[in-house]
Amino acid sequence: MAKSQTKIGKDVIESLTLGMYEDSKFIFREYIQNSADQIDRAVEEGLLDSLQDGLIDININYNQKKITITDNATGIKSSKVQSTLKDIAKSGKDRTKNKGFRGIGRLGGLAYCDTLTFETSAEGESTKSTLIWDSQKLKAIINNRATKEDAIKVIDDVTEFSTSKEDKSEHYFKVILNGVSNEVLLDKDDIYSYLSMVSPVPYSKGFIYKSRIYKYAKENNQQIDEYKIFVNRNQVFKNYSTSIYAGESGNKKKVDEVYDIEFFDVDDENGDIIAWGWYSISKFEKVMPSVNTARSIRLRKGNIQIGLEDCLTKLFREPRGTKYFFGEVHAVDAELIPNARRDYFLDNYTLKKFEKSLKQKFDELHKLYYFSSKVRNERKKIDELKKLSKEIKQKSKAGFTDQHEEKKYQDKFIKTKEKAEKAANELIKTKEKVKVASKAQQKVFDKIIGVEEPNVEKIRVPKAAKKTKFITDDISSLNRKEKKLVSRILGVIDNVLPKDLANILKEKIKEELS
């Protein structure tokens, strides 16, 4: 019996192009990683002196509904343009070295424009090659369920190749999306913000810890690939900050700060580094609000982000854990291979080792922000004693409502001081433990408590005057009997109204009767 010939239907094109990504912005990442690979190759071949001589320029024209992405890398020789840009999933790249290697990412833009155009020229050739994909025609063919075209025939029908003259010294690759229908892709500010965390770019100039990150990488023989990427002439930098904010982008306020960073390695069973990373140290007051666009520990390979900010959430004990930090995990093992959607790695033995080791690191971070919460709670008990002592002092000068209020303050001081003394003793013990247990915990402790041991002995209830002063003492218009009545009224006010409101009302009564 003759063996039947295998055919590939047109629907496979939809899966690899029109239906590839859930987030439309991912197409920028795909084009950038392809350009980055070609810049790497241009450096290897001596066409560019260094990565810093490479350029990836993105121009977004909202009015024209047009996006252009250009690099000055190797370009593609004219004789190889059609096979390179028409063939699908036939990339010659090394998946263990290159950032993009499947040969499908370049077609992601087809889902969001009328035509997708590739223009390219290689140094030494006087030819510019142009390949145009007609996205509207492609969609029409795929949506026509009455026909069952072969995938190869469809590709030939929706593409058009041409050549023209070009200067021999030129070398570039250009992607042009015409008739862009997706509003998100045309928002240059949003795209800049997205690329500031996703793309392989330098740390922002204001991020003071960048030199330490570079130093650590160099000392541990790790490379951080960085490229010059521009969005409408504005260079893109990673958006890390030393300030932590709350509120909205147009109305935010600083609530915490990054005052240090820590590094870590992710090792396999042989002690070999398969990933490394860093994370921020703060007071960990609370989960970073979304206004902090760089929040979470991000997963990166080739310095390109894998997935989104929540990619590593599953490795924390609780989903919110990663959002207490700024940070990065740089995967370096060749077998940690991004999947087709670049939202995680392919499942293999190395990934299991990676997850097991990284989960242990994240367990330490879980303990760290809970440790911070515990230290802050103990510190709060001491602060409450200081606040109460100050309040009693002010009361002694202004006058108590009555003897009952004075007694209540005295009892409260005794209870508050007992709690503060226990907290101080606990903090002294904790300080000794962290000296030998955890460098990160020691940094958090010193920031919250300070370098001196907490001492509540000096915090005492103010010395009582020879005669307790009451509020009614200042109301000279009242006789002794009337003062007692007013004191009783003020006492009732204390019992039924909130403290702040009670104080306002008592002051008004005092003013009225004086």
Side-chain angles (χ1 to χ4, degrees):
M1 187 175 182
K3 189 175 182 179
S4 63
Q5 185 178 4
T6 302
K7 295 183 179 180
I8 300 176
K10 63 183 178 182
D11 287 345
V12 73
I13 304 175
E14 180 179 28
S15 298
L16 295 177
T17 58
L18 308 181
M20 188 64 186
Y21 305 113
E22 292 180 2
D23 187 340
S24 60
K25 294 192 290 287
F26 285 0
I27 66 168
F28 284 101
R29 182 195 62 197
E30 295 296 326
Y31 292 128
I32 284 172
Q33 73 184 20
N34 286 337
S35 291
D37 279 336
Q38 293 310 112
I39 290 173
D40 291 344
R41 182 179 168 190
V43 173
E44 290 176 5
E45 295 178 356
L47 188 60
L48 298 175
D49 292 334
S50 69
L51 296 186
Q52 292 305 301
D53 294 312
L55 175 66
I56 303 172
D57 184 64
I58 299 170
N59 184 268
I60 300 172
N61 191 315
Y62 182 87
N63 293 329
Q64 295 181 11
K65 308 299 181 187
K66 180 179 180 180
I67 298 171
T68 306
I69 304 167
T70 309
D71 69 59
N72 64 341
T74 60
I76 302 174
K77 291 185 179 299
S78 183
S79 60
K80 296 182 178 180
V81 168
Q82 293 197 70
S83 61
T84 301
L85 300 180
K86 284 178 63 178
D87 292 354
I88 295 179
K90 194 183 174 185
S91 173
K93 294 182 180 181
D94 185 345
R95 65 170 53 198
T96 64
K97 292 173 58 179
N98 295 118
K99 298 171 178 66
F101 49 81
R102 287 188 171 84
I104 56 178
R106 67 179 179 275
L107 300 180
L110 282 170
Y112 310 106
C113 63
D114 293 339
T115 60
L116 176 65
T117 301
F118 300 117
E119 294 180 356
T120 185
S121 182
E123 187 184 43
E125 291 191 342
S126 57
T127 303
K128 177 175 81 171
S129 301
T130 302
L131 182 71
I132 302 174
W133 286 71
D134 189 329
S135 179
Q136 289 187 314
K137 188 175 182 180
L138 174 63
K139 291 172 185 176
I141 293 172
I142 290 175
N143 291 331
N144 184 357
R145 309 318 295 171
T147 59
K148 299 184 180 296
E149 292 92 342
D150 179 77
I152 296 174
K153 183 179 183 305
V154 171
I155 292 174
D156 288 338
D157 286 346
V158 301
T159 57
E160 179 182 339
F161 176 73
S162 64
T163 60
S164 57
K165 290 185 178 181
E166 182 59 277
D167 191 296
K168 283 189 175 183
S169 64
E170 293 292 332
H171 49 94
Y172 59 85
F173 187 85
K174 182 182 293 185
V175 181
I176 305 170
L177 286 76
N178 276 305
V180 177
S181 56
N182 186 293
E183 291 288 316
V184 172
L185 298 180
L186 293 170
D187 186 336
K188 65 180 187 302
D189 294 330
D190 188 36
I191 296 304
Y192 182 97
S193 179
Y194 167 77
L195 293 178
S196 71
M197 296 311 302
V198 170
S199 55
V201 293
Y203 297 97
S204 63
K205 295 176 181 178
F207 187 53
I208 61 175
Y209 299 108
K210 64 180 180 179
S211 59
R212 285 180 55 190
I213 297 173
Y214 294 138
K215 181 181 179 183
Y216 183 88
K218 184 177 180 180
E219 290 176 347
N220 290 273
N221 298 315
Q222 302 297 340
Q223 182 173 322
I224 304 177
D225 293 339
E226 294 178 343
Y227 303 84
K228 287 183 178 179
I229 300 176
F230 292 81
V231 175
N232 288 29
R233 298 185 179 182
N234 293 316
Q235 186 170 358
V236 181
F237 295 94
K238 287 180 183 174
N239 197 27
Y240 291 111
S241 167
T242 54
S243 296
I244 299 171
Y245 297 98
E248 303 298 327
S249 58
N251 184 28
K252 61 183 182 180
K253 64 176 182 177
K254 184 177 176 180
V255 294
D256 201 354
E257 67 174 319
V258 174
Y259 55 88
D260 210 339
I261 61 172
E262 280 288 307
F263 297 93
F264 61 90
D265 293 330
V266 182
D267 304 326
D268 62 14
E269 67 272 21
N270 300 317
D272 295 325
I273 296 177
I274 57 177
W276 67 277
W278 62 271
Y279 61 89
S280 61
I281 300 289
S282 65
K283 290 182 181 178
F284 304 110
E285 297 278 357
K286 61 180 180 179
V287 166
M288 293 184 189
S290 58
V291 70
N292 301 280
T293 57
R295 70 175 183 175
S296 298
I297 298 181
R298 311 293 182 109
L299 178 59
R300 307 182 79 84
K301 181 69 184 286
N303 201 23
I304 298 176
Q305 184 172 292
I306 302 295
L308 297 174
E309 68 169 34
D310 59 352
C311 183
L312 295 174
T313 295
K314 63 182 180 180
L315 300 182
F316 271 82
R317 289 192 192 179
E318 52 187 358
R320 64 177 182 159
T322 185
K323 293 182 176 66
Y324 278 95
F325 304 90
F326 293 138
E328 297 175 330
V329 176
H330 290 267
V332 295
D333 193 285
E335 292 304 313
L336 290 173
I337 303 170
N339 60 25
R341 296 167 68 93
R342 286 192 71 89
D343 56 9
Y344 203 51
F345 295 131
L346 295 178
D347 188 14
N348 57 29
Y349 179 65
T350 303
L351 177 62
K352 289 179 172 60
K353 291 188 293 182
F354 169 80
E355 290 183 334
K356 181 180 179 181
S357 182
L358 189 57
K359 192 174 185 301
Q360 292 174 347
K361 299 293 181 184
F362 286 172
D363 283 348
E364 294 175 12
L365 300 194
H366 173 86
K367 293 175 183 176
L368 180 60
Y369 61 79
Y370 269 95
F371 169 82
S372 172
S373 177
K374 180 182 176 182
V375 172
R376 282 186 282 107
N377 285 337
E378 300 294 0
R379 171 63 185 267
K380 186 178 179 182
K381 295 172 185 176
I382 298 174
D383 290 341
E384 285 175 352
L385 180 64
K386 293 178 180 178
K387 182 181 178 182
L388 181 59
S389 177
K390 184 178 180 181
E391 187 177 344
I392 294 173
K393 188 175 182 180
Q394 292 171 342
K395 270 285 179 183
S396 298
K397 289 181 179 180
F400 293 96
T401 300
D402 51 27
Q403 290 180 336
H404 176 72
E405 186 185 40
E406 180 188 23
K407 179 68 164 55
K408 189 166 67 173
Y409 267 106
Q410 290 173 345
D411 292 343
K412 185 178 180 181
F413 185 86
I414 292 171
K415 292 179 181 179
T416 304
K417 187 166 185 179
E418 286 177 356
K419 292 180 181 179
E421 286 173 340
K422 289 181 181 178
N425 291 332
E426 185 64 31
L427 289 173
I428 290 171
K429 293 177 184 177
T430 301
K431 184 175 183 178
E432 293 303 314
K433 289 180 182 178
V434 298
K435 282 181 180 179
V436 295
S438 169
K439 186 177 179 182
Q441 287 186 359
Q442 186 175 349
K443 290 178 179 179
V444 170
F445 184 93
D446 290 345
K447 187 64 177 179
I448 296 174
I449 304 300
V451 294
E452 295 183 5
E453 289 188 355
N455 186 355
V456 299
E457 289 302 316
K458 295 179 181 179
I459 308 173
R460 298 185 176 92
V461 65
K463 271 189 175 182
K466 291 181 180 180
K467 182 183 177 182
T468 302
K469 182 178 180 181
F470 297 104
I471 292 175
T472 54
D473 291 346
D474 292 333
I475 309 176
S476 58
S477 63
L478 302 179
N479 60 37
R480 190 173 182 182
K481 188 176 180 180
E482 289 171 334
K483 286 181 179 181
K484 283 186 177 181
L485 177 60
V486 172
S487 290
R488 288 178 63 186
I489 294 171
L490 297 181
V492 172
I493 290 172
D494 279 337
N495 290 331
V496 299
L497 292 179
K499 187 175 180 179
D500 290 343
L501 185 57
N503 288 335
I504 292 172
L505 183 56
K506 287 190 295 182
E507 190 62 32
K508 289 294 182 183
I509 291 173
K510 180 181 173 181
E511 290 176 4
E512 187 68 26
L513 296 176
S514 296

